[in-house]
Structure formats: C-alpha cells, structure tokens
Amino acid sequence: MDMRIKTMVLGHVQTNCYLVYEEGSGRGVIIDPADNGPAISAACREAKVTPEAILLTHGHGDHILAADGLRQEWKIPVIASETERELLADPSLNLSLALGMPRTSLKADREVRDGEVVEAAGFHFQVIATPGHTKGSVCYLEKEEKVLFSGDTLFEQSLGRTDFPTGSAKEIVESITGKLFALPDDTMVYPGHGDPTVIGREKQYNPVARYRR
C-alpha cells in the first residue's frame, strides 16, 4: 500500500490530528480529531479522501473535540478503547472543562481492546493498550507500514503526563518499555503532540529507556 499521513496541528494545546489514507484510493481514517471539524473536513476534500472511521488514542478533550461533528457529517463510527468509556463521557475527567473547551461528552460507536485489529480504509490497525497517560490510552500499529500512532503515551524523547485523572506513572513506563520498545526499531512513531520519531531512537534517548529490563 501507499500510506499517506497528513498532520494537522489543531487547538490551543497544539494537538496532532492525522488524516491517514492510501494514495489514489479515496479512502482514509481520522486519528484524534482535536478541534476545528470544518478544517479537518476541508483537508479530506482537498486530498479527495472520504474518511471511513475516527480512531481515538484516548479521551482527553484536546483529542476529541471535533469527533462528534465529524461522525455526523461523514456518518462514520468513532472507535476508542472500552476502558476509556467513563473518561470519554465525563467532562471533568476528560479535561474539556479544565482546558477551557466546550463541555464535551462522547460515546464511542465501537469499543476495542488490546490486540484487536481495526480494519478501515484498507489498513489494519492493531490496538495496543498502553495505560498510563489515561487508563484507556491505546496506540494503533499498522504493521505492514511500520507506523505507530502513539497518542499521548510516547513522544519524541518524552512521554505523556500521568497527573491527570486515571493516569499512572508506573503503568506508562511499563506500557512504553514493555510494549512499544518491543516493536521493530524502524517503526515510525506519530505522537499526539510534537514531531514524529522512531522506536529505535526512543530506545536510546527517551528518559524511560533506563527502565528497560
């Protein structure tokens, strides 16, 4: 396949929203629709892509604000971890109120669990449960393309905060060192904030690398 990834940095905390599609197929998925649904839809139309699903890495307000509007406009499902149900539904847990956003409550159309594969737009996204930033944080791995969408679990030489509701420092370290660092070194990582990176580089330079067993 010929995967294309368009990155849109949206919202006042500069969240990465990804439009992932196969060149020429007209099919794609939206990952973490952070804000500004009209801009995301315009990017889809500009790329001549019809999105088939919305994938959420976790339920924080800065990653979900445009999800419901896009779901209605394109008539597509919102997909999230089953473990994130409570946080998605509660504006006090998902920080939409704390971050100064509109009160946001969301229910996924499809709830997934660790190891499940989401087939959409010709891609096969393996769900990797990575609790720590939130209890229901997940990453999406496209094995054939060697691409990981890591949400707020793994950043370039950094990792997600764990001082928010349902967060756990112990769990995020275990998620990164036990699951993500087990991926091939040449796996590209597209995080929820900041620049892309590569698993091999993070195994060398990420602060949690010292906790590898």
Side-chain angles (χ1 to χ4, degrees):
M1 297 186 70
D2 191 9
M3 177 184 273
R4 292 286 184 266
I5 301 171
K6 177 175 178 57
T7 306
M8 293 163 274
V9 182
L10 302 170
H12 67 278
V13 291
Q14 301 290 283
T15 302
N16 291 333
C17 168
Y18 298 106
L19 174 61
V20 185
Y21 60 98
E22 182 186 3
E23 181 70 21
S25 76
R27 305 168 65 197
V29 299
I30 297 166
I31 300 179
D32 287 352
D35 197 357
N36 199 342
I40 298 171
S41 288
C44 292
R45 295 188 178 97
E46 183 180 353
K48 296 181 171 58
V49 168
T50 299
E52 296 184 358
I54 296 167
L55 307 185
L56 302 181
T57 60
H58 64 292
H60 281 157
D62 63 313
H63 288 253
I64 68 171
L65 196 58
D68 192 47
L70 291 168
R71 165 167 60 187
Q72 294 181 47
E73 178 180 358
W74 295 95
K75 296 178 172 53
I76 55 177
V78 171
I79 299 170
S81 167
E82 63 179 4
T83 317
E84 200 75 337
R85 184 188 306 162
E86 182 183 5
L87 189 142
L88 277 168
D90 188 336
S92 62
L93 293 179
N94 67 38
L95 304 181
S96 56
L97 294 178
L99 292 170
M101 300 174 178
R103 184 183 185 89
T104 303
S105 178
L106 193 66
K107 185 180 188 302
D109 300 289
R110 175 181 171 187
E111 294 180 335
V112 294
R113 59 183 61 184
D114 189 39
E116 196 168 334
V117 175
V118 176
E119 296 185 28
F123 299 109
H124 296 79
F125 297 98
Q126 180 184 341
V127 179
I128 303 175
T130 52
H133 180 62
T134 66
K135 180 172 65 174
S137 288
V138 296
C139 299
Y140 295 99
L141 173 68
E142 219 302 342
K143 283 186 178 180
E144 184 178 332
E145 300 289 338
K146 293 187 177 180
V147 169
L148 179 80
F149 296 94
S150 65
D152 285 4
T153 298
L154 180 65
F155 299 134
E156 181 186 27
Q157 297 185 38
S158 188
L159 65 160
R161 290 176 60 171
T162 59
D163 57 336
F164 296 135
T166 79
S168 166
K170 179 177 183 292
E171 286 187 328
I172 201 170
V173 170
E174 290 174 350
S175 292
I176 294 172
T177 60
K179 293 185 173 182
L180 302 188
F181 283 177
L183 299 176
D185 284 356
D186 59 349
T187 303
M188 285 294 302
V189 179
Y190 289 85
H193 303 271
D195 295 328
T197 184
V198 182
I199 287 292
R201 186 183 309 150
E202 295 311 307
K203 286 163 66 174
Q204 282 188 287
Y205 300 114
N206 196 285
V208 302
R210 65 180 179 272
Y211 297 111
R212 289 177 65 202
R213 294 177 181 175

